[in-house]
């Protein structure tokens, strides 16, 4: 159960804090940990859930390469944090990735 932090770094000018809206979508590039198949521009939203084997996750992917079905990503409960201060550095959200590797991200579009 690898946990990945989406970190934000920037300089704020006339902004006290940065907070994600409730309808934010995080765009990710993921890779199947079994066969290496890439999933590009996959988005995950805190408002959208899917039930997989008696639990709810925010994203479930079936790999076309190896046919593995339960590749899941879940936003860790209470991990969406506001970023504040003049430097604006910190963890924006934490993701629990199962059977997928996290490649790169464009945090919000």
């Amino acid at each position: 159960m690898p946990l990945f932090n989406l970190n934000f770094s920037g300089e704020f000018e006339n902004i006290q804090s940065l907070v994600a809206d409730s309808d934010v979508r995080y765009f990710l590039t993921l890779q199947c940990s079994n066969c290496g198949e890439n999933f590009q521009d996959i988005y995950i939203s805190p408002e959208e859930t899917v039930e997989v084997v008696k639990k709810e996750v925010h994203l479930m992917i079936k790999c076309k390469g190896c046919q593995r079905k339960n590749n899941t990503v879940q936003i860790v409960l209470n991990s969406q944090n506001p970023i504040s201060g003049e430097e604006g550095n910190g963890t924006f959200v934490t993701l629990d990735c199962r059977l997928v590797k996290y490649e790169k991200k464009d945090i919000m579009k």
Side-chain angles (χ1 to χ4, degrees), residues 65-91:
C66 65
Q67 303 301 316
R68 186 179 274 182
K69 293 181 183 178
N70 291 329
N71 300 331
T72 62
V73 180
Q74 183 174 5
I75 296 174
V76 176
L77 188 64
N78 297 325
S79 70
Q80 289 183 287
N81 301 314
I83 307 293
S84 60
E86 288 184 15
E87 292 183 13
N89 297 325
T91 299

Side-chain angles (χ1 to χ4, degrees), residues 25-87:
R25 291 180 177 180
Y26 300 101
F27 286 82
L28 311 169
T29 297
L30 303 170
Q31 182 180 52
C32 177
S33 62
N34 190 39
C35 70
E37 179 82 18
N38 282 329
F39 310 105
Q40 295 184 351
D41 293 330
I42 302 293
Y43 78 86
I44 182 171
S45 174
E47 293 185 338
E48 299 176 17
T49 59
V50 178
E51 189 168 329
V52 178
V53 191
K54 299 182 183 178
K55 78 174 200 174
E56 287 190 357
V57 297
H58 294 100
L59 175 68
M60 196 276 293
I61 304 170
K62 180 180 178 183
C63 181
K64 293 179 183 178
C66 65
Q67 303 301 316
R68 186 179 274 182
K69 293 181 183 178
N70 291 329
N71 300 331
T72 62
V73 180
Q74 183 174 5
I75 296 174
V76 176
L77 188 64
N78 297 325
S79 70
Q80 289 183 287
N81 301 314
I83 307 293
S84 60
E86 288 184 15
E87 292 183 13

Side-chain angles (χ1 to χ4, degrees), residues 12-30:
F12 291 163
E13 192 171 303
N14 298 324
I15 298 175
Q16 293 188 5
S17 68
L18 179 66
V19 180
D21 287 339
S22 61
D23 63 345
V24 69
R25 291 180 177 180
Y26 300 101
F27 286 82
L28 311 169
T29 297
L30 303 170

Side-chain angles (χ1 to χ4, degrees), residues 93-106:
V93 68
T94 303
L95 304 174
D96 177 5
C97 299
R98 297 184 186 233
L99 306 177
V100 290
K101 296 177 188 174
Y102 172 71
E103 289 294 309
K104 67 175 184 174
K105 79 264 176 202
D106 292 328

